[in-house]
Amino acid sequence: MSDVELQAKLQQLMGINFLPEQLAAIVATKAPNVVIAGAGSGKTEVMAARVVQLVSTGQVTRDRVLGLTFTRLAAGELASRIRGHLAKLPAVEVEVDEPTVDTYHAFADKFVRTYGLRIGLETDSEVISDVRRQQLCALLLRQRDRKSTRLNS
């Protein structure tokens, strides 16, 4: 399928006329890819279109897609767009799981909980964010200061 035909198909399905740079990201070779662009540049829609393009052309099944973003808001938006656009595709005969869309942190946490035992981690281990790590450190320091104050009184 030519770029023009693909762009027409995606525009019809998604209601978006993609820029040439966006289209290039959408049709890039089938391999893990990274989309880096500024706020409001259409990254989420490009990522959703890439999934639609890969699934609609039979290059991948829905359950073989992993979309990762930095924030829960972005992950929710990406998941919603992907599912919404995939719902417009003709139904597949075999039921398959939906794409996995998550934040990097949440995905890593689930991964550690699922496979952590293989590397010696307890199944209740938790991947903590930078913010949570700082909160825990502050809590420990406050508790230490309270103990130190009581001992000196």
Side-chain angles (χ1 to χ4, degrees):
M1 177 181 304
S2 74
D3 285 355
V4 173
E5 292 170 323
L6 178 60
Q7 186 164 8
K9 179 180 177 182
L10 288 171
Q11 183 175 0
Q12 177 188 12
L13 181 69
M14 300 177 75
I16 298 169
N17 189 14
F18 291 101
L19 298 171
E21 298 84 3
Q22 293 172 318
L23 191 60
I26 293 166
V27 300
T29 58
K30 190 179 90 174
N33 287 285
V34 176
V35 174
I36 301 171
S41 61
K43 292 181 299 296
T44 302
E45 209 58 68
V46 166
M47 291 171 71
R50 177 147 176 87
V51 171
V52 169
Q53 186 263 340
L54 290 170
V55 171
S56 68
T57 58
Q59 294 181 62
V60 297
T61 57
R62 297 167 191 237
D63 61 329
R64 301 290 295 170
V65 173
L66 172 62
L68 297 174
T69 65
F70 287 102
T71 68
R72 283 180 279 198
L73 180 66
E77 184 64 29
L78 179 59
S80 174
R81 290 185 194 190
I82 288 173
R83 289 185 182 107
H85 294 311
L86 288 178
K88 298 173 191 174
L89 294 177
V92 292
E93 292 180 24
V94 179
E95 286 290 321
V96 294
D97 291 332
E98 290 295 311
T100 298
V101 178
D102 223 330
T103 64
Y104 289 97
H105 182 269
F107 181 76
D109 189 59
K110 290 173 191 168
F111 193 85
V112 166
R113 289 175 188 267
T114 302
Y115 301 105
L117 281 177
R118 294 180 180 189
I119 59 169
L121 296 175
E122 296 294 328
T123 56
D124 62 348
S125 295
E126 180 181 349
V127 176
I128 61 173
S129 66
D130 288 340
V131 171
R132 183 65 181 140
R133 187 173 61 243
Q134 291 172 4
Q135 291 171 337
L136 290 172
C137 286
L139 176 66
L140 290 171
L141 289 172
R142 281 194 302 273
Q143 289 175 346
R144 185 196 69 184
D145 290 343
R146 281 190 216 123
K147 285 181 183 178
S148 175
T149 303
R150 282 190 295 238
L151 291 175
N152 293 332
S153 318

